[in-house]
Amino acid sequence: MQSKAKQQWEQCRGFIRDNVTPEQYSALFSYTEFQSFENKRLVLSVPSQFIFDQLERDDYARLIASAIRKFFGLGIELAFKIPVVQKAQGDIIVGSAGKPNVQNGTPTTPANQVPDPFQVPTPAELDSQLHEGYYFDNFYEGENNRLARSVGEAIAKCPAKTFNPFFLYGPSGCGKTHLVNAIGWRIKELHPNLRVLYLSAHLFVVQYQDAVRQNKTPDLIAFYQTIDVLIIDDIQEFSGKLKSQNTFFHIFNHLHLNNKQLILTADRPPVLIDGLEDRLLTRFKWGLQAEIEKPTKALCYRILQGKVKHDGLQIADDVLAYIAENVETSIRDLEGIITSLMAHSVVYDCDIDIRLVNQFLPRFTKQQTVEEKVTLDEIRTTVCNHFNLNEDVIDSPSRKREVVYARQIIIYLANTHTEQSTVQIGRQIGGRSHATVIHSINQVKNLMEVDEKARQEIQEIEALL
C-alpha cells in the first residue's frame, strides 16, 4: 500500500510540475518527499520551516490540494513532517486538524499553529526595553489621541483579547512612542507573567542582518516566538527590506496564531507604506488601525503645564501659552524648548519670559518657505481654476469624471504639501471619510506612474502653487 501511495505522490508531483515554473518546482516541490499514507492520512516531509511556510501559501496550497484530489481521491488529510534541527529528538508533524498530541513518540501540532522547530527554552527574565517615563499617567489626552489611548488601555487590560494587531500611525512627534510604551508598562503591571518586548523596526533589521552573518537566523526566530507582547516602532523602516520582512512575517504569524499581542507604529497608514510585501500589508490591516494627529494648541498648553509641574519649574502661564502658540505642534519640540529654557535660566540666573523664549524659537521652528505656506484652500482654488470648475462642486456628491479627477488631485496635493492629516483633509472636502482620502491619494499616485500626460499636468499645478 505504501508503495502504491508513493507512486501516487509522484503522479501528484508531475501534475504540480506542469503547473508551476521550473524555478518554483526546483526550490520547493523537489524537496517535498513522501513519508507515509495510512487511514487516508498523507504525510509528506519538507526539509525546513521555510519550505513549509511557502507551501502554506494559498496558491501553492490549492495546487497541492487539487493534485491530491486527482490522484488520491476525496477526504485525504494532509500533514507535513519537519526535521528538528536543535535540541529535541525526532520530528515535528504539522497536521490539518485536532489538538496537539503524541503519536509513536513524535509530537504533533495542528496546521493552524505554526510550530517552533528550534525548541529553544524560554528564558526566565527578559529586559522589555521599554522607555522609562512613558506612562499613561503623563500621556495627555486630547481630540487627536482619544481613540488611540482608549484602545491602548483596553489592550493593556486584556492583551490579545481585543484588538490584535494594533496599528498606530501618525506624524513624528505626536506621541506614538509614548503611548505604546505606556501600554507595555501597564501590561507588565497588570500581567507580570507576560514577556513584553519593545524595539524599533530598524533595530530588528540590524538584528536580522547580524543573525544572517552569524548563521543564527533560526535562533532569532525562536527567540521572538517566546514573546507574549511584541511592540515594533516605526514599521515603515521595513520598506524595501524584503528579507527582513520575510523573517518578520513568520514571527508575526506564529505570535498571532498563538494569541500573542502585536503592537505596531508607523508615520503613515499601512496602505501608504511603499515597499511592503502584500502578505505583510494584509496582516497589518487585520486588527485595528488608529491615527494620532499632531496635538492641538490647547493640548500643547496642557503638555507644557504638565512638564513644568513635573520638573518643578516656575514659568508664567502667558509664557506657556506663547510657546504653545508658536512652537510647531510636536511634543518633542515642546519638551526640547522647555529643557533648553530651563538650562539657560539656571546657568545665567535669569527668568523665563517671552523675550527669552523668542531667542530659542528659531531652534525649534522651521523658517516658512513658499511651499510650506500652501493651504488646502489655495490648492482647491488653483486646481479648480486649472480645470475651469466651480469650487463648490468639489464638496458636492457629484461623481462626474472631471469633478472626481479634480477632487482626487486636490486631496493628493493637500496630503503632499500641507501638514494636515488624512482625517482633517477629508473633513474639509465635503466631509469625506478617511478611506476615501486614502483611495484618492493612491489613485493619483498610480496614475502618475503610468500616465505621462497626467504626471505633467499635476506637476504644472504644483508649479503654480
Side-chain angles (χ1 to χ4, degrees):
M1 180 177 178
Q2 297 298 315
S3 176
K4 180 182 177 183
K6 187 173 183 179
Q7 291 177 358
Q8 289 172 304
W9 171 244
E10 290 304 318
Q11 291 176 306
C12 289
R13 290 217 293 191
F15 174 85
I16 291 169
R17 186 187 293 111
D18 294 336
N19 286 275
V20 297
T21 66
E23 293 79 10
Q24 289 171 324
Y25 182 84
S26 175
L28 300 175
F29 296 98
S30 62
Y31 296 103
T32 306
E33 301 289 346
F34 173 86
Q35 281 290 308
S36 64
F37 181 71
E38 189 173 358
N39 297 326
K40 287 199 167 187
R41 178 179 170 85
L42 174 63
V43 179
L44 306 175
S45 70
V46 291
S48 69
Q49 173 73 23
F50 174 78
I51 299 293
F52 167 72
D53 288 333
Q54 294 300 306
L55 297 180
E56 261 198 323
R57 289 170 48 182
D58 289 345
D59 46 356
Y60 292 139
R62 285 194 295 268
L63 180 58
I64 295 171
S66 297
I68 291 174
R69 282 196 300 271
K70 182 176 179 65
F71 297 102
F72 282 87
L74 299 175
I76 304 301
E77 181 184 5
L78 175 63
F80 290 95
K81 192 173 187 179
I82 308 171
V84 173
V85 298
Q86 287 193 353
K87 296 181 180 179
Q89 300 296 318
D91 300 303
I92 286 180
I93 300 287
V94 184
S96 59
K99 297 180 179 179
N101 54 60
V102 175
Q103 294 181 351
N104 301 322
T106 304
T108 58
T109 50
N112 62 352
Q113 179 179 336
V114 179
D116 175 9
F118 310 108
Q119 303 265 316
V120 175
T122 302
E125 298 293 334
L126 172 70
D127 184 351
S128 64
Q129 302 294 315
L130 293 168
H131 295 328
E132 293 287 348
Y134 284 179
Y135 312 116
F136 277 116
D137 292 344
N138 59 357
F139 183 85
Y140 293 93
E141 182 179 312
E143 288 298 327
N144 69 309
N145 60 28
R146 182 165 291 125
L147 171 63
R149 181 192 174 111
S150 298
V151 171
E153 290 180 327
I155 289 172
K157 291 178 182 177
C158 301
K161 303 297 183 186
T162 51
F163 308 101
N164 193 26
F166 176 38
F167 196 103
L168 182 66
Y169 67 93
S172 177
C174 65
K176 302 187 299 295
T177 297
H178 188 147
L179 179 56
V180 297
N181 275 268
I183 296 171
W185 285 118
R186 181 66 60 82
I187 290 174
K188 285 174 67 68
E189 176 189 342
L190 300 177
H191 311 276
N193 59 313
L194 296 185
R195 290 165 55 79
V196 179
L197 180 64
Y198 164 88
L199 76 159
S200 67
H202 174 73
L203 179 56
F204 180 89
V205 172
V206 172
Q207 289 178 346
Y208 168 75
Q209 292 169 344
D210 287 344
V212 171
R213 281 193 293 268
Q214 299 175 40
N215 198 27
K216 292 184 177 180
T217 306
D219 293 339
L220 178 71
I221 296 174
F223 165 74
Y224 276 98
Q225 289 177 343
T226 70
I227 304 302
D228 297 304
V229 180
L230 181 59
I231 305 170
I232 304 284
D233 210 351
D234 293 324
I235 208 77
Q236 72 274 1
E237 295 290 337
F238 278 162
S239 178
K241 299 176 175 63
L242 298 184
K243 293 182 179 179
S244 296
Q245 288 182 39
N246 183 61
T247 299
F248 183 71
F249 170 80
H250 298 303
I251 292 169
F252 184 105
N253 270 357
H254 176 89
L255 296 181
H256 194 271
L257 289 170
N258 286 277
N259 293 317
K260 308 300 183 182
Q261 180 70 52
L262 291 126
I263 301 172
L264 312 166
T265 81
D267 60 2
R268 71 207 80 163
V271 295
L272 294 184
I273 302 177
D274 295 328
L276 279 185
E277 286 192 313
D278 287 343
R279 60 178 183 168
L280 199 56
L281 176 61
T282 299
R283 281 156 177 77
F284 289 168
K285 295 189 289 186
W286 274 353
L288 176 75
Q289 299 177 46
E291 181 180 15
I292 294 187
E293 300 176 16
K294 285 194 173 183
T296 62
K297 299 298 182 183
L299 183 57
C300 286
Y301 179 68
R302 288 180 54 205
I303 292 171
L304 288 170
Q305 283 184 314
K307 181 161 181 62
V308 166
K309 182 178 179 180
H310 178 270
D311 293 341
L313 302 177
Q314 295 293 326
I315 302 180
D317 285 345
D318 62 326
V319 175
L320 295 181
Y322 184 77
I323 295 172
E325 185 66 32
N326 289 277
V327 175
E328 290 187 13
T329 49
S330 163
I331 296 172
R332 292 193 184 98
D333 289 342
L334 294 173
E335 293 176 342
I337 194 169
I338 290 296
T339 301
S340 299
L341 290 169
M342 176 182 66
H344 189 91
S345 174
V346 170
V347 171
Y348 294 99
D349 191 23
C350 62
D351 293 332
I352 298 176
D353 53 21
I354 292 178
R355 179 192 59 79
L356 182 60
V357 170
N358 283 327
Q359 293 180 24
F360 283 88
L361 278 178
R363 306 180 190 180
F364 296 90
T365 58
K366 291 187 291 186
Q367 296 299 312
Q368 294 293 312
T369 65
V370 173
E371 181 178 85
E372 288 172 333
K373 291 181 180 178
V374 172
T375 66
L376 194 150
D377 287 340
E378 290 169 339
I379 292 171
R380 182 200 304 264
T381 299
T382 304
V383 171
C384 288
N385 288 342
H386 180 84
F387 291 107
N388 295 317
L389 292 173
N390 188 308
E391 289 187 35
D392 293 339
V393 77
I394 299 300
D395 293 337
S396 74
S398 173
R399 300 300 301 166
K400 290 183 179 179
R401 184 175 180 180
E402 62 272 19
V403 174
V404 171
Y405 181 50
R407 185 186 295 135
Q408 290 179 338
I409 291 176
I410 292 170
I411 290 173
Y412 168 79
L413 293 175
N415 182 69
T416 304
H417 296 288
T418 74
E419 292 295 323
Q420 299 199 54
S421 69
T422 52
V423 173
Q424 291 171 325
I425 293 170
R427 286 175 186 159
Q428 295 182 65
I429 302 183
R432 283 170 169 78
S433 68
H434 166 74
T436 300
V437 173
I438 296 297
H439 174 74
S440 298
I441 294 168
N442 288 334
Q443 286 289 97
V444 176
K445 282 185 175 180
N446 294 335
L447 181 64
M448 291 176 68
E449 289 178 359
V450 300
D451 190 326
E452 177 66 25
K453 182 180 178 182
R455 180 165 63 252
Q456 290 179 354
E457 186 171 50
I458 293 169
Q459 289 173 346
E460 288 174 6
I461 296 172
E462 286 183 299
L464 292 173
L465 291 170

